[in-house]
Amino acid sequence: MAKLLYIKNAFQLVLEVPRTSLSGAAKAIAQRLRRSVPPGLERMSGFRIMAQIDGQLEPLDRHAKGTLERAVMSATGARVMSRGGGDELWLIGRRALGTIVLGRRLSRAAKPGPAGSLSPELSRLLVRMSKPQGGDVFLDPFAGSGALCRARAEWPARRVIGVDLYAEPRFDSPRAGAPIEFLREDALELPSVESGSASVVATDPPWGEFESFAGSAQEFYAAMAASFRRVLDPRTGRLVLLVSRKMEQLVADELIRAGFEGPRLVPVLVNGHPATVLNACPAEARDDGG
Ligand SMILES: C[S@@+](CC[C@H](N)C(=O)[O-])C[C@H]1O[C@@H](n2cnc3c(N)ncnc32)[C@H](O)[C@@H]1O
């Protein structure tokens, strides 16, 4: 699980106790650790303890923290590294869970891009939804800072192309398997992109929340759908589109009107904002069994 690049926080569950107060749970976990050492704490040389209850980081009172740290030290031989650098053991409580779990953190969030950009994890998830293949011509017509192109460039591709009319993308990719090209042009026209030449369009268009469209939202998304339909390969093209939840139906209708088939709607949260990923392909692709 920790190797799945689109997961931000993966934990191995070590043990769980009934949900009481945080300090009560810490002491109960310490007691359990004194009785036996559960799998999941092997090969740990240093650790620190964190607590998160219902999505919020919570301070753990000193006494309970000390009790738990001593129990972990004697169970594992590891030392406390309170400034980090070792493993992280988290006490996690979630609404509807009924327990507080002790989890060992397996993965760390990737370094975020500039403000306003999609997280590396969500970008990788969207790229995975596009079913990447080595021969792909990948296009992000609203590239912004370039997060999706950077995520796509981590896998082999024939071409990775970012387009933006206003923003200055950052296209250095630490694991670049493919160089990223940039076009400064209108995503609603894409004059330099030949019809049917793109294998994938994956993008995060303006949501109409901070920026206003020149005309109506419907006109904007209708022009966008027609532009993407033109550049996508009619037989094998794939479209992955991230829109605000409020716009999902309007965008889905415009995609169908432009000749896409059956957008699949996947709900996601983007920094807490309800959003939807629409996954579609040109109608001809389905007719061909493509
Ligand atoms: C929601 S942002 C994309 C953010 C991007 N996914 C990222 O991670 O940085 C939408 C982008 O579309 C660009 N944009 C708006 N209208 C455009 C148009 N007609 N053609 C091309 N780019 C446009 C904006 O400059 C902005 O960078």
Side-chain angles (χ1 to χ4, degrees):
M1 223 172 98
K3 287 188 181 150
L4 297 176
L5 294 175
Y6 48 83
I7 288 185
K8 206 171 204 163
N9 292 308
F11 292 89
Q12 176 171 5
L13 298 189
V14 179
L15 50 82
E16 59 187 331
V17 295
R19 181 164 173 166
T20 52
S21 66
L22 187 53
S23 52
K27 287 176 190 164
I29 288 173
Q31 218 168 37
R32 293 265 300 273
L33 288 177
R34 276 188 226 108
R35 286 207 298 268
S36 65
V37 184
L41 292 181
E42 309 88 355
R43 291 187 298 281
M44 205 171 62
S45 53
F47 70 94
R48 67 172 167 167
I49 290 171
M50 323 267 290
Q52 195 204 54
I53 302 296
D54 301 334
Q56 300 292 325
L57 283 178
E58 293 280 341
L60 182 57
D61 84 65
R62 269 182 47 202
H63 183 249
K65 191 173 185 182
T67 306
L68 182 52
E69 284 173 347
R70 281 192 297 281
V72 173
M73 282 192 285
S74 74
T76 63
R79 65 196 169 92
V80 177
M81 295 172 74
S82 38
R83 292 184 168 198
D87 274 277
E88 287 183 4
L89 296 179
W90 285 51
L91 295 168
I92 305 169
R94 286 276 187 273
R95 265 178 224 116
L97 198 58
T99 55
I100 289 190
V101 303
L102 179 71
R104 179 174 175 177
R105 190 165 184 181
L106 295 175
S107 63
R108 276 156 206 268
K111 221 170 119 212
S117 60
L118 293 181
S119 70
E121 290 83 10
L122 180 57
S123 302
R124 288 163 175 164
L125 183 66
L126 297 178
V127 163
R128 289 302 287 258
M129 286 177 75
S130 78
K131 301 201 170 73
Q133 291 165 26
D136 280 349
V137 175
F138 176 95
L139 186 67
D140 176 358
F142 296 101
S145 66
L148 279 167
C149 289
R150 286 195 299 277
R152 181 61 183 86
E154 292 175 355
W155 279 279
R158 188 140 57 93
R159 295 176 70 189
V160 177
I161 308 166
V163 178
D164 204 289
L165 204 43
Y166 315 106
E168 281 304 325
R170 229 197 58 214
F171 280 161
D172 54 309
S173 172
R175 314 154 173 244
I180 306 174
E181 304 161 46
F182 178 59
L183 298 171
R184 179 157 314 283
E185 60 188 44
D186 187 352
L188 308 184
E189 301 285 343
L190 296 171
S192 334
V193 184
E194 263 179 59
S195 298
S197 64
S199 325
V200 168
V201 169
T203 196
D204 164 28
W207 288 14
E209 288 176 354
F210 304 109
E211 63 291 88
S212 51
F213 301 120
S216 69
Q218 183 177 6
E219 282 164 353
F220 182 88
Y221 289 127
M224 178 192 80
S227 168
F228 294 173
R229 178 69 180 78
R230 181 186 70 77
V231 296
L232 272 173
D233 183 317
R235 285 178 307 107
T236 58
R238 286 98 73 200
L239 175 67
V240 177
L241 209 53
L242 177 70
V243 299
S244 88
R245 185 86 48 83
K246 275 189 270 177
M247 293 288 177
E248 67 175 22
Q249 202 50 54
L250 188 150
V251 178
D253 290 346
E254 291 309 328
L255 290 180
I256 292 165
R257 225 188 300 274
F260 284 95
E261 191 151 280
R264 188 162 66 98
L265 274 59
V266 182
V268 292
L269 286 177
V270 179
N271 300 327
H273 298 283
T276 301
V277 184
L278 289 99
N279 198 191
C281 54
E284 286 161 56
R286 287 276 167 83
D287 297 343
D288 278 12

